[in-house]
């Protein structure tokens, strides 16, 4: 979509993904975060309130971010900022469902700024992530 086609308050279905042990192992290995809360079940049983391994918060955020694709589609767009609040742990096997809402539209000289709110919930309906993303979106026709 182009900036002119976006409407304030529109809500769209984002990504849906079941988080597996493979996601956590690959993500942790890639970024170098091998903390026991992601990799050591016994350590988690003895040292964490949830008593099991959890996904990295930024892995959850990474799974939510592609939710903007329905908003910007194939048009030129770029992420400018992200603000994440992690509300609850994501356990192995949780299915994360993200919805987004356009909460602010700001026309600028070269492109429009679109602020979106993400809400990611697990299969139990618990909010695991809230986020605010600001994206620059191309105009359909150049503004005067």
């Amino acid at each position: 979509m182009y900036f002119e086609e976006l409407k304030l308050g529109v809500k769209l279905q984002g990504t849906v993904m079941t988080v597996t042990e493979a996601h956590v192992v690959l993500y942790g290995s890639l970024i170098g975060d091998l903390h026991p809360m992601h990799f050591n079940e016994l350590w988690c049983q003895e040292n964490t309130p949830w008593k099991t391994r959890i996904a990295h918060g930024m892995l959850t955020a990474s799974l939510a971010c592609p939710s903007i694709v329905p908003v910007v589609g194939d048009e030129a767009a770029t992420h400018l900022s992200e603000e994440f609040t992690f509300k609850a742990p994501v356990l192995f096997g949780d299915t994360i469902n993200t919805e987004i809402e356009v909460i602010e539209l700001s026309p600028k000289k070269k492109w429009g700024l679109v602020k979106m709110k993400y809400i990611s919930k697990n299969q139990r309906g618990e909010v695991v992530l809230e986020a605010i993303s600001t994206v620059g979106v191309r105009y359909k026709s150049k503004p005067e």
Side-chain angles (χ1 to χ4, degrees):
M1 296 180 123
Y2 293 100
F3 182 78
E4 298 93 327
E5 298 171 325
L6 294 169
K7 303 284 186 238
L8 196 60
V10 70
K11 292 183 180 182
L12 298 165
Q13 177 63 50
T15 56
V16 178
M17 177 76 68
T18 299
V19 178
T20 67
E21 183 174 18
H23 288 112
V24 174
V25 170
L26 289 170
Y27 185 83
S29 298
L30 179 67
I31 67 167
D33 182 350
L34 306 176
H35 193 281
M37 76 173 63
H38 311 300
F39 289 91
N40 186 324
E41 187 72 25
L42 181 60
W43 185 91
C44 289
Q45 289 171 6
E46 295 173 356
N47 295 288
T48 70
W50 45 88
K51 304 296 184 199
T52 190
R53 296 173 293 164
I54 63 170
H56 303 77
M58 290 305 293
L59 170 60
T60 303
S62 297
L63 296 174
C65 282
S67 295
I68 69 159
V69 173
V71 176
V72 297
D74 294 332
E75 302 310 319
T78 185
H79 271 95
L80 299 172
S81 70
E82 298 286 348
E83 184 178 318
F84 301 112
T85 303
F86 303 100
K87 306 296 269 183
V90 172
L91 309 179
F92 293 21
D94 278 354
T95 298
I96 305 307
N97 183 350
T98 301
E99 293 183 345
I100 58 172
E101 178 182 2
V102 176
I103 60 170
E104 188 176 308
L105 297 168
S106 302
K108 300 295 179 187
K109 186 175 181 178
K110 295 187 179 198
W111 54 23
L113 296 183
V114 179
K115 193 173 277 193
M116 293 171 278
K117 181 176 184 176
Y118 299 57
I119 302 284
S120 297
K121 296 179 182 179
N122 61 24
Q123 71 278 8
R124 295 175 297 282
E126 301 163 333
V127 174
V128 296
L129 172 74
E130 291 181 358
I132 301 291
S133 177
T134 302
V135 180
V137 179
R138 192 170 76 168
Y139 291 110
K140 190 171 191 171
S141 57
K142 287 190 176 191
E144 299 297 322

